[in-house]
Amino acid sequence: MVILLAEDDATVQKFAGKVLTTDGFTVLTAGDGKAALEAARKTPGTIDLLLTDVEMPRMGGLELCRNISTERPGIKVLLMSSDPLTAFKNGLPFLQKPFSQTTLRISIEALLGPIPPLG
């Protein structure tokens, strides 16, 4: 399964990317919404999940969601933010920062189904 991770904070991007890769996902990373949209356009095949920060330079996560959903109608979306009001305002699945490995996995499994063990 492929996850597009859009996050401008290098520490959060590295942490989430490592957790997802360890769980067996192919992870495409981008530091902002425009770069994420470009990565999605260059990637053949399915992208199963967009995991995106809400606040990013050049293009925020909500605008990215609107654009990518038009181009890839089946993509699932999980927003990340340190602002809990984001979840209520947008009605999209939401992961509050900071988050743990377990919380990230639970949030992704809620959208994509169980993560099979590696090996």
Side-chain angles (χ1 to χ4, degrees), residues 9-56:
D9 182 315
T11 303
V12 175
Q13 187 187 94
K14 184 176 178 182
F15 171 75
K18 183 177 178 182
V19 170
L20 297 170
T21 301
T22 300
D23 283 340
F25 292 101
T26 299
V27 181
L28 309 170
T29 58
D32 62 57
K34 284 194 179 225
L37 195 55
E38 290 168 13
R41 288 176 176 155
K42 291 178 183 176
T43 301
T46 301
I47 298 175
D48 300 287
L49 176 70
L50 169 63
L51 175 58
T52 182
D53 189 10
V54 174
E55 298 292 325
M56 294 183 292

Side-chain angles (χ1 to χ4, degrees), residues 78 95-96 98-109:
L78 179 58
L95 176 61
Q96 179 154 353
F99 51 83
S100 67
Q101 292 177 343
T102 302
T103 306
L104 177 59
R105 287 182 179 121
I106 289 168
S107 297
I108 290 173
E109 284 184 329

Side-chain angles (χ1 to χ4, degrees), residues 4-7 30 32-38 40 50-54 56 59-71 75 77 79:
L4 176 55
L5 171 60
E7 172 60 63
D32 62 57
K34 284 194 179 225
L37 195 55
E38 290 168 13
L50 169 63
L51 175 58
T52 182
D53 189 10
V54 174
M56 294 183 292
M59 179 189 295
L62 294 174
E63 185 179 352
L64 171 60
C65 289
R66 286 190 294 274
N67 285 307
I68 206 164
S69 294
T70 301
E71 295 181 21
I75 196 167
V77 174
L79 296 177

Side-chain angles (χ1 to χ4, degrees), residues 88-99:
F88 300 110
K89 291 179 188 175
N90 301 299
L92 292 169
F94 177 77
L95 176 61
Q96 179 154 353
K97 291 185 199 175
F99 51 83

